[in-house]
Amino acid sequence: VHDLVDYVKQQKKKGIYQEYEEIRKEPPAGNFDNSKKLANQMKNRYSDVLCLDHSRVRLCQLNYINASFMDGYKKNNAYIATQGPLPKTFGDFWRMVWEQMVLIIVMTTRVVERGRVKCGQYWPLEEGRTEQYGYFLVKNTQMQLFQDFKLSHLELYNTQSGERREVYHYLYVSWPDFGVPKSASAMLDFRELVHQRREAVVKILGSSWTGSPGGPPVVVHCSAGIGRTGTFCTLDICLSRLEDIGTIDVRQTVRRMRTQRAFSIQTWEQYYFCYTAVIEYAQNLFFVASQVKNHSVDLVLNCRI
Ligand code: PTR
Ligand code: PTR
């Protein structure tokens, strides 16, 4: 029986592998002309990770930043996917946060991994510290440490207008340098907290928010802004849909995401992780339900796996 179970698992894995390979072969959905401009090249962390013109985030002045709007589940522009800021783009990054009314930042890389710099130190690391980036003063007013992540409460002060805002900075520290988290549960808990914070923000803003339903975009970044960022957003979208209508579609979610942030999800392990994490979540979510109503679990697992 165990051999059979392993065999079935293997077959499913193969199918998911092929599915990902097909997605990877699809050509990018547009041009990268702005990213390629001479004056902008130094603003890209990686010369081979550029952003599509049609979905890029425009800054009000000197308008280029390597960042892309991405839709979420029933929410346009739910995320801004971006690279880990470079020292010369720290000011641009905070300008984007300000202009787009971003109140939540999700970071899924560490600043240095295996001795290589993956992202600049664009926010004050210690509690009580203030740093200046361009015309913004950013103060770390409070930091909370959890097992797999750190939450910093940042106060953003716009020295030009004299206004202040509070921004939540979620730093996930346990994503291994290569590959994917071993168990999905820590990542699922992390996602849940971000998700709840987003809902709280929408409530607080109330009718003062006139943009897309679902509130201001959440900034999500890693080093290049495609691998781990794409994985986090895919999970977030799939889980929101699962909670809403009880089904998932990883393939379409990733295909659609790639039309807005090219090359999202970098490895097939990350793609596979989306499936296993969603299933782990579904099992928890429907544990109680399955005692009462047996078919809930079938409904959820009736996806491509
Ligand atoms: N081609 C890249 C490489 O040099 O290995 C792909 C890659 C790069 C994959 C970095 C993973 C990487 O690590 P991380 O996701 O931790 O930035
Ligand atoms: N040129 C880089 C490389 O291949 O190493 C681009 C790259 C770096 C791509 C990191 C993906 C990376 O991972 P992530 O998007 O998760 O930071």
Side-chain angles (χ1 to χ4, degrees), residues 46 48-49 116 118 222-229 266 270:
Y46 299 102
D48 58 349
V49 183
R116 281 161 68 185
K118 293 297 182 107
C222 43
S223 184
I226 51 178
R228 290 164 285 183
T229 295
Q266 271 285 286
Q270 288 173 344

Side-chain angles (χ1 to χ4, degrees), residues 69-79 191 195 198-199 202 212-218 236-237 240-241 243 256 260:
F69 283 113
M70 290 191 332
D71 293 337
Y73 180 67
K74 292 189 175 170
K75 292 186 189 98
N76 290 334
N77 297 351
Y79 316 96
R191 176 268 170 185
H195 183 70
R198 184 201 276 269
E199 299 204 324
V202 171
S212 331
V218 169
D236 194 37
I237 292 171
S240 298
R241 171 168 156 154
E243 284 163 354
R256 175 152 164 250
Q260 297 183 307

Side-chain angles (χ1 to χ4, degrees), residues 265-293:
I265 301 215
Q266 271 285 286
T267 66
W268 104 266
E269 283 87 355
Q270 288 173 344
Y271 190 71
Y272 187 65
F273 176 76
C274 294
Y275 274 98
T276 53
V278 168
I279 286 171
E280 193 172 318
Y281 181 84
Q283 282 167 340
N284 294 338
L285 185 69
F286 289 95
F287 181 72
V288 179
S290 70
Q291 315 253 319
V292 188
K293 233 169 71 180

Side-chain angles (χ1 to χ4, degrees), residues 153-206:
H153 299 250
L154 304 178
E155 186 184 80
L156 184 54
Y157 177 69
N158 182 333
T159 59
Q160 291 200 327
S161 67
E163 293 165 273
R164 285 173 208 277
R165 274 182 209 155
E166 190 177 3
V167 175
Y168 300 91
H169 185 273
Y170 290 86
L171 166 58
Y172 193 77
V173 291
S174 326
W175 199 303
D177 300 18
F178 292 93
V180 295
K182 236 197 197 102
S183 141
S185 65
M187 191 68 211
L188 291 171
D189 291 348
F190 179 71
R191 176 268 170 185
E192 186 59 34
L193 283 178
V194 173
H195 183 70
Q196 282 172 9
R197 178 72 68 183
R198 184 201 276 269
E199 299 204 324
V201 159
V202 171
K203 243 186 217 157
I204 291 164
L205 289 175

